[in-house]
Amino acid sequence: CLLSLQQLAATATPSRPCGSNVAFIDLGANDGQSLTWFKRHWAPRSARAFNDVVAFEMNPHFAPVLQALLKPWNGLLMPAAAWTSDGSLSANLQQPGSRTAVKGGVLYNMTASALELGGVPLNRNARTQQRASTVKRQQQEKSQLVPTVDLAAFLKTRYCEADKVDVKMDIEGAVCASLLDA
């Protein structure tokens, strides 16, 4: 699985000269809410048109909707977690629709998958983990091995310092937690 991710990243690397990439990287794309927001609000206000859009999402349930949202930009879906090394880690994957909320009359998917360290998802502490109902967790969540991508290496391979790269990060502290664990 990792080899295919590396091949995917390599074959989709922009062939534009250094300094001409205008990129949006969505770390933790979830069900695409941030890509939709980016399309409506951020991209139209940019001085230069975005010519590279990449979404990282480790929960495979969201792949179809993300592929559809990325299509107008010929964007890239990285079906992996952003991390500090290539490999795989256990992740707590919440099922789509298991947590929803209404804000301003709009239904939002509140799904928050997270990598696990020591068996505890990064979006919880050990005390919260102990209180969670086992039955509820079994119905709404699934622990699964997911691929990880070295984010720094990915960015370094794909872009240069002269490129414009905007990053949205909603990954439950994954990259920061890995640095503390090292």
Side-chain angles (χ1 to χ4, degrees):
C1 187
L2 179 61
L3 180 59
S4 64
L5 281 174
Q6 290 171 332
Q7 290 172 333
L8 176 64
T11 58
T13 298
S15 58
R16 292 177 286 279
C18 179
S20 64
N21 288 302
V22 181
F24 176 69
I25 312 296
D26 188 350
L27 302 177
N30 200 301
D31 66 353
Q33 291 175 17
S34 53
L35 285 172
T36 301
W37 187 91
F38 165 75
K39 181 180 180 179
R40 288 185 190 151
H41 302 286
W42 191 260
R45 294 183 179 135
S46 177
R48 293 170 48 199
F50 284 85
N51 56 22
D52 193 40
V53 178
V54 180
F56 279 74
E57 178 52 52
M58 66 181 176
N59 192 331
H61 290 98
F62 297 118
V65 70
L66 293 172
Q67 291 285 13
L69 288 168
L70 290 164
K71 194 171 186 172
W73 294 291
N74 197 25
L76 172 65
L77 174 60
M78 292 296 291
W83 194 243
T84 58
S85 61
D86 292 332
S88 61
L89 285 171
S90 183
N92 175 270
L93 302 180
Q94 291 188 345
Q95 303 305 302
S98 63
R99 288 180 52 222
T100 58
V102 176
K103 183 177 178 182
V106 177
L107 179 67
Y108 286 94
N109 182 4
M110 303 298 289
T111 305
S113 298
L115 290 173
E116 297 176 345
L117 291 181
V120 178
L122 290 174
N123 59 351
R124 297 194 190 130
N125 62 36
R127 192 176 313 158
T128 305
Q129 180 72 7
Q130 289 172 350
R131 286 192 307 238
S133 162
T134 304
V135 173
K136 185 177 180 182
R137 282 196 357 246
Q138 287 173 348
Q139 293 172 345
Q140 298 178 354
E141 303 173 6
K142 179 181 173 186
S143 187
Q144 178 177 323
L145 202 60
V146 297
T148 60
V149 171
D150 182 331
L151 180 61
F154 175 85
L155 294 172
K156 188 175 183 178
T157 302
R158 196 168 177 91
Y159 308 107
C160 73
E161 286 187 35
D163 288 331
K164 178 185 184 292
V165 180
D166 292 340
V167 178
K168 173 249 145 190
M169 186 182 304
D170 184 2
I171 55 175
E172 280 61 58
V175 173
C176 297
S178 68
L179 295 173
L180 294 174
D181 195 46

